[in-house]
Amino acid sequence: MAEVSLEGALNIGKEYLENLGVANGKINYFFNKELFEDGFIQSLTDAGVINANKSSKTTAKTTHIHITGPSRFIFYTEEELKTAGGLEDDRISVKLLNANIAHLLFLGKQREMIDFHFTDEVQLLSSHTVKKVSSRGQQVQLSKKSLDGQDFIRFRSGLYADDLLVFLKYKDSQEGYLVLGIPAIKIEHIISPLPGRKLSQVEATSIGAYSVNQDRDREISSLVDLSKATSIRLDRSMRHQKLVRIVAKKLNDLGYKIFEGLIDCLATKVNSEVLIFEMKTLDGTASDEMHQVRDALGQLLYYEFLQIGQFESANKLKIACFESGISDKHRELFVRNGCYVIWLDSTGEIRGETEILKLLGLY
């Protein structure tokens, strides 16, 4: 199943690279929307991975990548699909990221949380593969080992069934395509970035542009319905970003300097504790609130000691911020663990207990 969406392909690629610890500047450079004209995301099946990586239960014999549906038009025009059947393999240029290949090969068959640290400079690698029309234009076949570039062969050797394949088509036809493989594990479980990395000071209007959005629905990791999962991811990512920026703008207006990194938002000003924020959206269900509360609490307790860079020795206040109010019991859970809770009301104003509102200067 594939999802044709330039915006979706760019966003999921950015989130993955951010979790790999790639600097925001690099991500912005590689995934500049102005460079591309189209893109798609496809979940791989056993029929689309090399023989050595197929699951033991499969009977699939093919190894080329099958592209069907609207994604075909990223490789051929409608007219070409009608007339190009049976032609020889056509070579296409692809760009790959060395960090992505290294991560896929590091994981091997394991699709679970394993710490991975890429210390080399992140670079684009120029390689190539081939495309071909089959099934009377209903399918485009990609890749043939005897014709693929060495880096593309290495790339495919790290891909397994259920992994996501991301293709972005450059506007410059000479550049070809930027290709990314994302392992089928929860995005937030890809990596624990190196401790000690400095946080970056940002403006309230730009914070969260490429942040690591830990605020994700549980069904996204299943990748069963890629179209639905992509839609959910984009919607919650946008709401998460909006929540971060609302709070950051309020803090900016109160004289705080704003920083981001793995943490959603960190705020400082003279003669004040460092404020650590974890932002969470809510879908209105009790189960989602439970998951989001658990995640937020765990992340705040973790961030208090790690992932705060240059602010490690400062006195800190831990604050969970929700898109709307949560239950009294959950608020009590945060208080018992030394954390504060704030939330937005229906008008977009920040609400919370008097103590934390006074500490923030909002009371």
Side-chain angles (χ1 to χ4, degrees):
M1 183 181 295
E3 171 78 7
V4 181
S5 167
L6 175 58
E7 196 73 30
L10 286 168
N11 282 347
I12 200 169
K14 289 173 182 176
E15 289 180 6
Y16 168 75
L17 291 179
E18 183 75 31
N19 278 286
L20 282 188
V22 178
N24 288 346
K26 283 278 189 180
I27 296 172
N28 194 27
Y29 176 75
F30 294 137
F31 283 80
N32 182 350
K33 185 177 181 179
E34 298 305 313
L35 297 176
F36 305 100
E37 65 175 64
D38 213 341
F40 72 88
I41 311 162
Q42 176 157 316
S43 183
L44 292 171
T45 65
D46 269 317
V49 300
I50 63 174
N51 286 326
N53 294 0
K54 294 183 187 298
S55 64
S56 58
K57 297 180 181 179
T58 187
T59 58
K61 303 295 184 183
T62 60
T63 58
H64 51 256
I65 300 167
H66 305 77
I67 308 296
T68 58
S71 302
R72 296 169 298 153
F73 300 116
I74 292 176
F75 301 97
Y76 293 97
T77 65
E78 186 172 4
E79 186 61 30
E80 287 172 334
L81 287 171
K82 292 178 180 178
T83 60
L87 294 182
E88 295 298 317
D89 294 289
D90 185 16
R91 178 166 162 163
I92 58 174
S93 298
V94 294
K95 306 288 187 184
L96 306 162
L97 283 161
N98 58 347
N100 181 215
I101 295 175
H103 181 228
L104 292 171
L105 296 179
F106 174 81
L107 288 177
K109 291 185 178 180
Q110 301 179 82
R111 288 299 184 259
E112 58 189 45
M113 181 173 62
I114 308 175
D115 281 356
F116 167 77
H117 305 302
F118 189 75
T119 56
D120 296 338
E121 181 182 356
V122 180
Q123 295 178 335
L124 283 178
L125 306 175
S126 295
S127 191
H128 60 270
T129 186
V130 291
K131 63 178 182 179
K132 184 178 181 179
V133 177
S134 67
S135 302
R136 297 182 179 180
Q138 296 305 303
Q139 184 184 105
V140 173
Q141 297 177 354
L142 299 179
S143 184
K144 183 179 288 186
K145 187 174 181 180
S146 61
L147 299 175
D148 287 343
Q150 287 302 307
D151 285 324
F152 196 75
I153 292 173
R154 291 176 60 237
F155 170 73
R156 289 204 66 199
S157 70
L159 293 173
Y160 293 81
D162 293 328
D163 288 350
L164 289 184
L165 186 67
V166 180
F167 261 80
L168 291 161
K169 184 178 182 180
Y170 284 102
K171 291 179 180 178
D172 183 348
S173 60
Q174 298 299 313
E175 295 293 322
Y177 305 83
L178 174 58
V179 187
L180 196 68
I182 302 180
I185 54 181
K186 287 186 178 181
I187 298 297
E188 64 265 32
H189 286 170
I190 287 174
I191 181 175
S192 297
L194 289 167
R197 175 172 295 172
K198 285 191 173 184
L199 278 66
S200 302
Q201 185 174 349
V202 293
E203 297 297 325
T205 55
S206 63
I207 190 172
Y210 301 107
S211 66
V212 183
N213 181 5
Q214 307 276 357
D215 191 1
R216 300 187 175 92
D217 273 3
R218 301 308 173 281
E219 64 265 36
I220 289 176
S221 62
S222 70
L223 304 178
V224 172
D225 185 342
L226 182 61
S227 178
K228 179 182 178 182
T230 301
S231 177
I232 292 170
R233 179 187 298 282
L234 294 179
D235 175 65
R236 292 197 81 152
S237 290
M238 287 188 289
R239 284 160 47 206
H240 181 271
Q241 184 184 86
K242 180 180 179 181
L243 179 60
V244 173
R245 291 183 175 178
I246 287 173
V247 175
K249 175 65 167 58
K250 295 280 189 183
L251 294 169
N252 250 175
D253 292 344
L254 293 168
Y256 286 90
K257 293 181 180 179
I258 308 300
F259 295 79
E260 68 172 348
L262 186 63
I263 296 173
D264 282 335
C265 177
L266 182 146
T268 68
K269 71 176 180 179
V270 177
N271 297 324
S272 175
E273 292 93 340
V274 168
L275 310 179
I276 303 172
F277 290 88
E278 180 57 38
M279 314 289 186
K280 294 296 179 186
T281 59
L282 297 167
D283 70 6
T285 65
S287 62
D288 184 66
E289 180 178 319
M290 177 187 71
H291 283 300
Q292 297 294 61
V293 165
R294 290 193 317 194
D295 284 352
L297 180 58
Q299 286 164 246
L300 286 170
L301 294 174
Y302 181 83
Y303 295 156
E304 184 178 18
F305 295 97
L306 296 168
Q307 305 298 349
I308 55 173
Q310 63 269 43
F311 302 102
E312 183 176 359
S313 62
N315 293 326
K316 296 170 282 287
L317 295 181
K318 304 180 293 295
I319 305 167
C321 178
F322 291 90
E323 192 176 30
S324 56
I326 60 173
S327 69
D328 291 344
K329 273 292 186 183
H330 280 151
R331 290 204 299 272
E332 183 182 350
L333 177 64
F334 281 103
V335 172
R336 289 191 177 190
N337 285 275
C339 303
Y340 294 96
V341 180
I342 60 174
W343 62 92
L344 298 187
D345 66 15
S346 58
T347 67
E349 291 299 314
I350 296 175
R351 301 300 180 195
E353 299 296 333
T354 301
E355 182 183 358
I356 184 58
L357 294 181
K358 283 183 175 180
L359 286 170
L360 294 176
L362 293 169
Y363 188 80

